Amino acid sequence: MMAQQTADVIVIGGGITGTSAAYQLALRGYRVTLLEKSYLAAGGTGRTVGLVRQHYSNEITARMALRSLQVWRDFEQAVGGDVGWVQTGALFIVGPHDLEGLKANIALQRQVGINTEFLDAQAVQALAPYLNVEDIGGGAYEPDSGCADGVMATNAYASRAKDLGATILQGVEVTAIRSAGGRITGVKTSQGDYSAPVVINAAGPWGARLALGVGYETPVEVSRHQVAVFQRPEGLASQHPFIGDFVQGFYLRPETGRLTLSGSLEASEAANKVDPDHYAETVDMEFNIEMAEFTEHRVPAMSEAEIRKGWAGLYDVTPDWHPILGRMPGLEGFICAYGWSGSGFKMAPVVGEMIADLVTGEKLCPIDPHLFRFERFAEGDLVRGRYSYSIIG
Ligand SMILES: Cc1cc2nc3c(=O)[nH]c(=O)nc-3n(C[C@H](O)[C@H](O)[C@H](O)COP(=O)(O)OP(=O)(O)OC[C@H]3O[C@@H](n4cnc5c(N)ncnc54)[C@H](O)[C@@H]3O)c2cc1C
């Protein structure tokens, strides 16, 4: 069949990664067509908790988080549109045996310019008097961090991309990636063929399946991750920072309406492997109860909280919990950007820039994606964080 439409670049997937990439490419004058099989933010992005933190233990990811935070905080000016940004601050607490690692991470983060500080248990208590600190060694506090809304952010990027001339199509499923003579030629879709010399696979949990169609076995497992939602009792603080509790392996994230979202920080959650097209999208009662128990231990006054609702979403997890982001070897014009392993939302502003650099060959973004190349798995050169206390990189 003749290709319906030609573009410089086709982006597969209308989540936060695909829309940020489409925006950055349109900004650089490229003709971009983004194809989304259902609707914008239908994947992991629509179910995200939306935390934008900077607590990373690798210099590259810490720099990426900081550069992205600067966009989230000032999105209206930097990109345009409302992403529901709320500066909550973020507090990460660890047990005594993880203090050394925490302090080393804080030093690394401060070195790259992140506003973070070490708090001993007493200082944590002073910051958040409602916390039980009896079993913690200390914490890292980032006052500038906060949360944004996945659906609002995706739509903001998409609409800015459209303003700049990008074509954003929903309800169009890519059924195959086309190539000839070692080069990308376009895609086949549920609504005909599209041609372009560059295809960006930003299909999140569905990305590995699409790559397999052109011969790449990317090591990505899809797993189900739940979020429990509690309503705080009246009288408890009207707001609280994001709290990452590495003693119990869970988090608390404030939401409007006196709500608090809660979920796991344990790598073992990735064992809940699912088919991304058929999985339970609601929260299990046992999960609600487990999170309620952790919450009550950390914030005793939450024993009066009510369970309100919850949901489950998908992570696309790689063996080292870092993404595959780069040009794929042996197929000119094929770029993969998935495998975010539960951490892809906050990074989207800088990832859009990195993808645009990969396409254009420019170096407008100061961060090199080499660390995330697909070849690292075969080379045994996995990305390692410096600490062992959690999955968060
Ligand atoms: C419960 C939960 C909490 C999270 N909390 C955080 C957090 O606090 N902070 C953070 O940074 N990250 C968080 N994450 C992770 C983050 O949300 C994801 O890493 C990020 O949203 C992934 O975005 P994406 O665009 O890469 O993928 P997705 O949002 O999954 O988008 C992929 C899109 O591709 C489309 N698609 C798939 N196949 C095709 C096809 N063949 N043709 C066309 N379109 C296709 C899908 O419909 C989908 O819309 C969380 C995730 C979950 C599930």
Side-chain angles (χ1 to χ4, degrees):
M1 187 197 280
M2 285 278 290
Q4 286 187 351
Q5 200 173 327
T6 55
D8 298 325
V9 183
I10 289 169
V11 178
I12 310 173
I16 197 69
T17 306
T19 53
S20 172
Y23 162 72
Q24 287 291 344
L25 284 159
L27 202 57
R28 296 190 195 185
Y30 277 65
R31 288 177 308 153
V32 185
T33 297
L34 182 148
L35 304 171
E36 164 54 52
K37 74 180 166 73
S38 32
Y39 52 90
L40 293 175
T45 304
R47 290 164 175 270
T48 192
V49 160
L51 172 67
V52 175
R53 45 99 184 173
Q54 301 152 89
H55 196 78
Y56 278 89
S57 66
N58 178 296
E59 192 193 321
I60 301 277
T61 46
R63 286 172 56 214
M64 287 169 71
L66 175 60
R67 191 171 169 88
S68 288
L69 173 77
Q70 286 155 352
V71 176
W72 289 122
R73 294 184 65 180
D74 192 24
F75 200 88
E76 182 67 68
Q77 284 299 314
V79 180
D82 184 1
V83 296
W85 172 253
V86 181
Q87 185 176 334
T88 61
L91 172 68
F92 299 94
I93 53 180
V94 300
H97 55 284
D98 283 323
L99 265 187
E100 212 180 302
L102 183 87
K103 286 180 179 170
N105 287 324
I106 292 171
L108 176 138
Q109 290 154 16
R110 289 174 69 95
Q111 230 171 17
V112 305
I114 291 170
N115 179 16
T116 179
E117 61 175 333
F118 173 72
L119 304 183
D120 63 17
Q122 245 183 336
V124 168
Q125 184 82 89
L127 177 79
Y130 41 82
L131 289 185
N132 166 17
V133 298
E134 70 190 9
D135 54 352
I136 73 163
Y141 182 57
E142 301 169 358
D144 301 339
S145 292
C147 302
D149 182 89
V151 175
M152 289 171 78
T154 304
N155 279 284
Y157 268 126
S159 88
R160 287 296 292 125
K162 257 199 264 183
D163 292 346
L164 293 164
T167 303
I168 309 276
L169 299 175
Q170 304 183 62
V172 180
E173 178 168 6
V174 173
T175 52
I177 293 164
R178 293 165 44 227
S179 67
R183 289 179 173 276
I184 283 288
T185 56
V187 294
K188 282 186 190 304
T189 80
S190 52
Q191 295 179 35
D193 293 359
Y194 287 76
S195 74
V198 177
V199 166
I200 296 162
N201 178 354
W206 297 266
R209 211 187 273 172
L210 281 165
L212 193 58
V214 273
Y216 295 93
E217 245 179 83
T218 53
V220 177
E221 300 278 7
V222 179
S223 52
R224 172 175 175 261
H225 292 258
Q226 303 182 68
V227 180
V229 182
F230 306 120
Q231 187 163 40
R232 300 190 291 280
E234 273 184 60
L236 190 63
S238 59
Q239 185 60 278
H240 62 82
F242 175 92
I243 298 164
D245 176 344
F246 297 121
V247 181
Q248 301 184 93
F250 90 119
Y251 64 80
L252 294 169
R253 185 272 213 208
E255 178 56 287
T256 51
R258 254 180 33 243
L259 298 179
T260 289
L261 316 183
S262 177
S264 175
L265 291 173
E266 293 290 338
S268 55
E269 256 222 322
N272 303 327
K273 287 181 199 148
V274 291
D275 173 347
D277 294 321
H278 303 99
Y279 73 99
E281 296 182 27
T282 54
V283 65
D284 304 338
M285 191 42 93
E286 298 114 72
F287 185 81
N288 274 334
I289 292 168
E290 191 187 7
M291 293 303 117
E293 285 170 359
F294 289 160
T295 304
E296 202 175 318
H297 171 74
R298 189 55 65 213
V299 187
M302 285 290 275
S303 59
E304 304 295 320
E306 303 278 353
I307 294 175
R308 285 295 182 225
K309 59 177 178 177
W311 66 85
L314 301 171
Y315 282 13
D316 42 348
V317 180
T318 67
D320 60 8
W321 289 77
H322 284 82
I324 297 168
L325 174 59
R327 287 181 166 272
M328 297 301 273
L331 184 51
E332 188 57 40
F334 187 38
I335 292 172
C336 283
Y338 59 88
W340 291 101
S341 308
S343 281
F345 178 73
K346 75 186 70 60
M347 298 296 201
V350 73
V351 166
E353 292 182 278
M354 290 161 89
I355 292 173
D357 275 359
L358 283 165
V359 171
T360 63
E362 295 165 311
K363 283 259 172 248
L364 299 187
C365 177
I367 302 170
D368 191 319
H370 180 75
L371 190 71
F372 307 119
R373 70 204 181 284
F374 166 61
E375 297 92 315
R376 76 181 185 274
F377 300 108
E379 294 163 3
D381 188 19
L382 302 195
V383 184
R384 297 276 176 225
R386 278 172 37 183
Y387 57 67
S388 59
Y389 48 79
S390 139
I391 62 174
I392 68 174

